[in-house]
Amino acid sequence: MTIKEIAKMAGVSTAAVSRYFNKGYISDEKREAIRKVVEETGYHPSMQAQTLRTRRTNLIGVVIPRIDSSSIARVVAGIMEVADASDYQLLLANTTNDMQKELEYLSIFHDKQVDGVILVGTLFTEKHQEVLANMEVPLVIIGQKVPGYNSVYHDDYNAEYDITKFLLDKGRKGLVYLGVTEEDKAVGVNRYEGYKTAVTDAGLEALAERRVIGEFNSMDGYESMRNAYEQFEDIDGVVAATDTIASGAMKFLHEKGIRIPEDMMIVGQGDSQLARIVIPELTTVRYFYEESGRKATEMLIEKLKGEENQPIRMVKLGYELIDRGSTELK
């Protein structure tokens, strides 16, 4: 089928059919006539032809570190909500926390295979900076504040400070911190710095050194808790950089017969589904992940529709402390 054939069957001009597919103005009568023919024939316009004509794909490339993460799923839900409403489709690239895959996807997307890119960022190496500097399409970063780039990020530092102080105010003075690599600035650096400042402000500087580093998964949370248990004495509270790490730590504590929260209180970050299904339920920080996805997509679409030299925008979102059973003595 061609546009000419669609026009002939609908009894309208080819210009009217073109406006129909490009969401231009046509009368309701002509729109309904074209719609019926399209429905009957199953016609779809050629995306390649549209791209050649308009230099637009109506595609947004989204690079994520892992698809099985609750927080990432919520970010993507926010992205999809705005993209759908603006008639953009997504190309989702799951890197499984493989830095080389992330760089490859960015390289594929940067050569105008998509109209714009949203990067849910974790690590930013010199190679990342090199690839991003050569991007030929607009880019927005979620989850990290990267100078020189449009970004939507969370207040990781103050969130960790507040939840650490929350434990200290409950009289827990033997804290330990279960964190991740400092190559991740938001989770690895900013959250640890929030913990470090909180214990220092409380006059407990030595607690800043009570830290174990692992990966972003529950098994590493389990092993990190084991290492902390073997290294440090008199632990009465655990500050975990993520809910997933906290869940692994809780499994180890249960196996050791250590009561939560009576013997040891524990807190996480993220307010994931895990936080509500572990026993007891996990005290944590709720970030506005869906909102970060919506904000980032709105920023990207504004960039696509606006002037080339728009100012860089960096938007920091807030958080809420969620008090649950892992810190609540009965």
Side-chain angles (χ1 to χ4, degrees), residues 8 14 32 91 93 126 210 213 231 237 242 250 269 329:
K8 183 177 180 180
T14 55
E32 180 61 18
L91 285 180
E126 289 185 6
R210 289 161 59 109
I213 302 300
Q231 289 182 53
T242 72
M250 292 174 77
Q269 290 265 353
L329 290 173

Side-chain angles (χ1 to χ4, degrees), residues 312-325:
I312 298 297
R313 294 172 58 197
M314 290 181 282
V315 178
K316 180 167 69 175
L317 302 179
Y319 58 90
E320 295 177 349
L321 196 156
I322 309 299
D323 185 5
R324 296 197 179 103

Side-chain angles (χ1 to χ4, degrees), residues 159 163 269-271 284-288 318-323:
I163 204 165
Q269 290 265 353
D271 192 28
T284 185
V285 169
R286 175 179 296 155
Y287 293 108
F288 302 111
Y319 58 90
E320 295 177 349
L321 196 156
I322 309 299
D323 185 5

Side-chain angles (χ1 to χ4, degrees), residues 289-317:
Y289 291 117
E290 292 92 339
E291 182 64 13
S292 71
R294 287 192 289 266
K295 286 275 189 190
T297 312
E298 288 167 359
M299 288 168 62
L300 182 62
I301 292 172
E302 286 173 11
K303 184 76 173 176
L304 292 173
K305 293 180 177 178
E307 298 295 327
E308 287 293 322
N309 297 318
Q310 291 181 355
I312 298 297
R313 294 172 58 197
M314 290 181 282
V315 178
K316 180 167 69 175
L317 302 179

Side-chain angles (χ1 to χ4, degrees), residues 261-274:
E262 293 85 355
D263 302 327
M264 197 173 302
M265 292 185 178
I266 183 166
V267 296
Q269 290 265 353
D271 192 28
S272 64
Q273 291 181 349
L274 268 177

